[in-house]
Amino acid sequence: MHRFEWDHGEGAPAQLNTLIAETREIGYMVVTFPEGGDGGPLAWSTLEPWVRSRAVTVAEVSGELASPALDVALCSDLVYLRPRAKLRLAVTGGPPSDGVIWALGRAGRAALARGLLEVDDLTAADAVALGVATAVVAADEALPLPEPISVASLTAARDLLRASARGSAGLALELASFRLLFAAGDPEEGARAFLEKRDPKF
């Protein structure tokens, strides 16, 4: 697991390039975002490699956050908010950034309508209710990321998190992921470790 703390005082494109370079291997990349922002939004061409990384990207937002840091946070695979978090979706004097619009579209029509038609910020509870964020985690609690986890399980989870397929294509992806996990032997080891009350050895 890799960890990185976002620095609002440094250039956002350079920091994002550093993060992208660190996500070329399977695993977790956890990025902590302290309160701040109010810079220029990031272009989608800069953000796109982040949403296609090999690692599962995880954002932890602790306070009020605006672009460009918000773009990176909301384009992560998992977005965890602390109770005081607030998401400032709109750029001052303009519409939401490309990254925010992408994240709202991923969350669904209700989130997209809220972000485009209403100017108020999202509280942590609202963001989770709309599907923009994964969950609210208490300030003194660790993020609910399972460890240890196998490469096969993490790869399958990453692909299913990012999938936009529906209908027969979605079922085909689910079946392929199911077969991958069984071929890797994860279910047997997981069940055996549970019964023996020990950590699994993937």
Side-chain angles (χ1 to χ4, degrees):
M1 181 185 298
H2 298 282
R3 291 188 176 272
F4 186 93
E5 182 167 348
W6 189 267
D7 185 347
H8 295 292
E10 293 188 16
Q15 283 191 87
L16 182 55
N17 286 336
T18 300
L19 287 173
I20 291 167
E22 293 290 327
T23 57
R24 291 179 181 151
E25 297 180 5
I26 295 293
Y28 290 117
M29 166 56 82
V30 180
V31 185
T32 303
F33 294 89
E35 185 167 312
D38 286 331
L42 291 167
W44 179 247
S45 58
T46 306
L47 279 166
E48 189 172 15
W50 178 244
V51 303
R52 300 185 185 281
S53 64
R54 295 193 71 200
V56 173
T57 54
V58 182
E60 178 186 0
V61 181
S62 58
E64 186 173 316
L65 196 65
S67 293
L70 182 63
D71 302 349
V72 180
L74 292 187
C75 287
S76 302
D77 293 314
L78 299 170
V79 182
Y80 291 106
L81 306 178
R82 298 301 181 179
R84 290 183 55 254
K86 183 182 289 186
L87 309 180
R88 296 182 55 199
L89 300 182
V91 179
T92 304
S97 64
D98 293 347
V100 170
I101 290 174
W102 180 88
L104 294 172
R106 175 178 65 173
R109 290 183 178 181
L112 193 57
R114 173 75 179 270
L116 293 178
L117 302 177
E118 299 183 27
V119 295
D120 58 327
D121 302 332
L122 284 184
T123 64
D126 288 342
V128 173
L130 288 169
V132 176
T134 308
V136 178
V137 181
D140 58 347
E141 289 184 10
L143 300 183
L145 300 176
E147 286 284 353
I149 189 168
S150 73
V151 170
S153 298
L154 196 58
T155 301
R158 178 202 66 194
D159 291 345
L160 290 171
L161 275 170
R162 297 178 183 175
S164 59
R166 300 290 184 268
S168 59
L171 290 174
L173 176 61
E174 183 180 346
L175 180 59
S177 300
F178 181 80
R179 288 176 174 165
L180 169 67
L181 293 177
F182 262 85
D186 290 355
E188 293 178 7
E189 170 60 13
R192 190 178 301 113
F194 176 78
L195 292 173
E196 295 174 3
K197 298 181 180 179
R198 60 172 174 79
D199 290 334
K201 298 176 182 177
F202 295 118

